[in-house]
Structures are given as C-alpha cells and as structure tokens.
Amino acid sequence: MMMNGYNKEEALGYILPRIDRKAHRALGERIDALISQAIDADMAYMFESGVLDEEGNAGDSYYDDDEAIEFMLDDLTARNALSAEETAQVAALLDDYMELQQDYLESVGLVDWE
C-alpha cells in the first residue's frame, strides 16, 4: 500500500544519491535495500497509525516522527536480523532517510502543513 501520488522508484531516485554513504560506511552495500525497506515500513506505519486511510489518502492521525522511526527500526531489525550494533547504525541511517523523505515529499507536493 502506498500514499496516493507517491512513487517509490522516484523517491528512491531522489533519496539514494543524497545519502551520505561515508557516514554510513559500516552498512556498505546494504544501504539501498535498507532505504527501500524503510519506505515500505514507513508506509505500513502510516496505514497502521491512521495517518493514511485504506485508499492512501490523508487519514485522521498526525505523523509522529519518533513513533515512525521506532516502527521502522523494529521492522528493519526483525527483517534483517540485525545485531545491536547494526541496529544503532540503521537508526542513524533512518534519521537521514527521514529528512530526505520529507524533502522528497515537499518537492512533489505531497506534504500538507495544516
């Protein structure tokens, strides 16, 4: 499930070149896959928390960054069987993802600051 108007491939094309790979060197070749999984987990969070409705339109809830990161981190940790050290590295990557995802959403007009 995706947000209406959201194009995952386009988002990846926006986000991946902007990731500071030197800052996440320990994650190496896994960065692209982790960002793709983060998008899926982010969308799942938005549907489960009511930020998006079943049709992918704005729901009744507000997006909580802290809750979203916790949800995504739990998802990625379980999906990739990450160690505690890797989980900390992925948490840092998710911080960067959150900024870049917001930049992408703003660039395509999908963020409403009401």
Side-chain angles (χ1 to χ4, degrees), residues 1 7 12 17 21 24 28 32 35 37 39 50-52 54 56-57 65 73 81 83 85 87-88 96 107 110 113-114:
M1 299 176 94
N7 181 312
L12 287 168
R21 291 173 188 270
H24 305 290
D32 291 9
I35 294 295
Q37 292 171 13
I39 291 172
V51 173
L52 296 175
E54 299 81 30
N57 297 311
D65 288 1
L73 191 57
S83 68
E85 184 178 334
T87 298
D96 289 354
S107 77
L110 289 174
W113 295 109
E114 277 184 35

Side-chain angles (χ1 to χ4, degrees), residues 37-80:
Q37 292 171 13
I39 291 172
D40 294 342
D42 199 7
M43 293 296 161
Y45 164 77
M46 287 190 270
F47 281 101
E48 286 185 27
S49 65
V51 173
L52 296 175
D53 67 16
E54 299 81 30
E55 285 83 42
N57 297 311
D60 297 329
S61 298
Y62 290 99
Y63 189 89
D64 182 312
D65 288 1
D66 293 333
E67 275 185 22
I69 284 184
E70 191 173 314
F71 184 97
M72 288 185 284
L73 191 57
D74 288 348
D75 183 84
L76 270 62
T77 298
R79 189 185 304 205
N80 296 285

